[in-house]
Amino acid sequence: MKYLVWISRIFVGILFIISGFIKLNDPMGFSFKLEEYFSPSVLDLTFFTPLALEISIFVVIAEVILGILLLIGFKPKFTVWSLLLMIVFFTFLTFYSAYFNKVTDCGCFGDAVKLTPWESFTKDVILLVFVLVLFFGKKYITPMFGSKVNWIIGGVALLACMLFANHVLAHLPSVDFRPYKIGANIQEGMSVPENAPKPVYEYAWRFKVNGEEKVIVTEGDYPSVDGEFIDVETTEIQAGYEPPIHDFTIEQEGQDYAAELLEEEKLVMVIAYDMAKSDYEAFEQVAKVTAEAKRKGYKVIGMSASSSDTAEKLIKSYGLDFEFYFTDETTLKTIVRSNPGILVLNKGTIRQKAHYNDFEELTF
């Protein structure tokens, strides 16, 4: 039992630190995932939605700190109980998502590692087993250092997490795991390789043969059956290749201009996924930055999921000299964790990306 506890202690501690730190690098992204869980179609806990970012920060910092406390063996009873409650809740959440197919990606490791709902649930079940080993063997969890040193390590870790969270929220994630990171080409991200795996479907054909229903399963071919066809049920049994970017559009009046605009050598995108939630003071700086970009030959466009009427009001209020195009809100949230934010592109390749606190760092 002693050795099992040591193995579990190292495994759970490191996994919680890694998982928590990846999400701490992008707490805004994790808050968007929580908003999905809180939505009416999932858990219907909409009263938590305004607190999604605060809950996100608390949860990811708790993950990191509990992992560190477990490794150094500090406050083992509190640590193990906290880990157990957390993993039981996560296991329920991932099972609910997988069974009812509600949230297709749990966000357990942010955008760094994508897991299917059932993979997430399996991961949590395995983790729960290790945490139960720690729970029943907590007497074997002994401190690595003295009480004073443990308090210092815990305090420093907590302060570091808070400072890091504040930094990435005030700027952008330190490490960008998304397909819209600097250096990425959007057209290439949307392309499908010629040898990419195709989806595999299973077809359950129903016929009436001699007065009785008969079901024949194939992978596409119409079966040779001497009977009356009733219907067919199609099931995807193996997903095909999905490009990293598969939902990117730049629409205006129902027409997609993405292919045309992504060929521009000098393109500036001002992104505001929801203008009602934007930092309005930042648009004063947007006006200055985009005016400078236009003087240097850049084409400037706005991208938002808000209505055209809202966009027009914003343009008039801040004297913006560019038009807004419509893009899916989730896509815009993925592109940049800032509302508003600015991207500088060259033929579809992202050269610069800036939070509204860092617009003065953009170079044209």
Side-chain angles (χ1 to χ4, degrees):
M1 187 64 179
K2 191 175 184 180
Y3 294 111
L4 279 175
V5 169
W6 259 108
I7 293 171
S8 301
R9 181 175 168 180
I10 294 170
F11 176 75
V12 174
I14 291 175
L15 192 64
F16 263 73
I17 292 171
I18 293 173
S19 173
F21 189 75
I22 288 173
K23 293 194 289 289
L24 186 61
N25 173 67
D26 184 14
M28 185 70 74
F30 187 52
S31 74
F32 294 150
K33 186 59 60 178
L34 291 179
E35 288 178 5
E36 281 189 59
Y37 281 111
F38 296 151
S39 66
S41 61
V42 185
L43 297 176
D44 196 17
L45 299 173
T46 52
F47 52 89
F48 280 131
T49 302
L51 301 172
L53 181 57
E54 289 78 4
I55 295 172
S56 164
I57 295 169
F58 174 80
V59 170
V60 297
I61 290 179
E63 276 192 75
V64 175
I65 298 302
L66 287 173
I68 291 172
L69 295 184
L70 181 63
L71 288 180
I72 65 176
F74 189 43
K75 299 289 183 183
K77 189 174 180 181
F78 165 78
T79 302
V80 172
W81 266 106
S82 299
L83 288 170
L84 181 62
L85 292 173
M86 186 175 282
I87 195 59
V88 166
F89 176 71
F90 284 160
T91 303
F92 159 75
L93 208 58
T94 52
F95 171 77
Y96 180 86
S97 295
Y99 187 79
F100 294 102
N101 195 29
K102 292 292 186 180
V103 179
T104 55
D105 173 27
C106 71
C108 306
F109 295 97
D111 291 292
V113 180
K114 296 289 188 179
L115 299 176
T116 66
W118 284 114
E119 287 173 344
S120 299
F121 173 67
T122 303
K123 180 264 298 178
D124 284 341
V125 169
I126 294 171
L127 197 53
L128 177 59
V129 172
F130 282 97
V131 173
L132 286 172
V133 170
L134 294 171
F135 182 79
F136 291 109
K138 53 182 171 286
K139 66 179 180 180
Y140 297 108
I141 302 176
T142 54
M144 292 182 65
F145 309 103
S147 178
K148 187 176 181 180
V149 174
N150 282 334
W151 273 109
I152 291 173
I153 293 173
V156 169
L158 178 60
L159 179 62
C161 285
M162 293 171 66
L163 291 174
F164 184 63
N166 181 69
H167 173 76
V168 295
L169 287 171
H171 303 280
L172 290 176
S174 295
V175 181
D176 195 344
F177 295 105
R178 288 157 292 154
Y180 299 95
K181 60 181 176 288
I182 292 175
N185 183 277
I186 295 176
Q187 295 102 313
E188 291 177 5
M190 291 191 288
S191 64
V192 178
E194 289 184 8
N195 58 347
K198 302 289 191 294
V200 178
Y201 296 96
E202 185 178 80
Y203 299 82
W205 307 85
R206 283 204 306 148
F207 293 87
K208 183 175 282 188
V209 180
N210 298 325
E212 295 182 0
E213 283 192 10
K214 184 177 181 180
V215 177
I216 298 177
V217 178
T218 73
E219 289 191 0
D221 297 333
Y222 188 87
S224 300
V225 178
D226 186 13
E228 180 187 350
F229 171 74
I230 301 174
D231 62 22
V232 61
E233 183 178 325
T234 306
T235 306
E236 186 179 71
I237 58 175
Q238 182 179 311
Y241 174 83
E242 185 176 67
I245 300 174
H246 52 272
D247 48 10
F248 182 87
T249 60
I250 308 176
E251 296 180 11
Q252 200 173 70
E253 297 180 355
Q255 185 173 346
D256 186 5
Y257 293 90
E260 174 187 332
L261 290 169
L262 291 177
E263 286 300 320
E264 293 281 347
E265 291 190 2
K266 293 183 174 183
L267 179 65
V268 170
M269 291 181 178
V270 178
I271 296 176
Y273 73 86
D274 185 346
M275 294 176 182
K277 298 178 181 178
S278 293
D279 187 303
Y280 290 110
E281 292 182 5
F283 283 103
E284 295 178 4
Q285 186 68 11
V286 167
K288 296 176 183 177
V289 170
T290 54
E292 180 187 352
K294 293 192 82 168
R295 283 196 300 271
K296 295 186 177 179
Y298 282 81
K299 181 176 182 61
V300 180
I301 63 171
M303 296 173 65
S304 179
S306 299
S307 68
S308 56
D309 290 341
T310 305
E312 284 301 319
K313 290 178 183 177
L314 194 71
I315 289 171
K316 290 178 181 178
S317 298
Y318 295 93
L320 305 179
D321 187 21
F322 56 86
E323 293 182 312
F324 273 91
Y325 291 76
F326 178 84
T327 308
D328 177 70
E329 182 173 321
T330 301
T331 300
L332 296 177
K333 287 178 176 179
T334 305
I335 292 173
V336 62
R337 305 298 198 205
S338 178
N339 188 23
I342 290 181
L343 269 65
V344 180
L345 297 91
N346 172 256
K347 292 202 168 207
T349 298
I350 300 171
R351 296 303 185 192
Q352 298 180 72
K353 182 190 287 192
H355 189 283
Y356 58 76
N357 288 327
D358 303 316
F359 284 165
E360 69 279 359
E361 296 180 9
L362 291 169
T363 55
F364 301 108

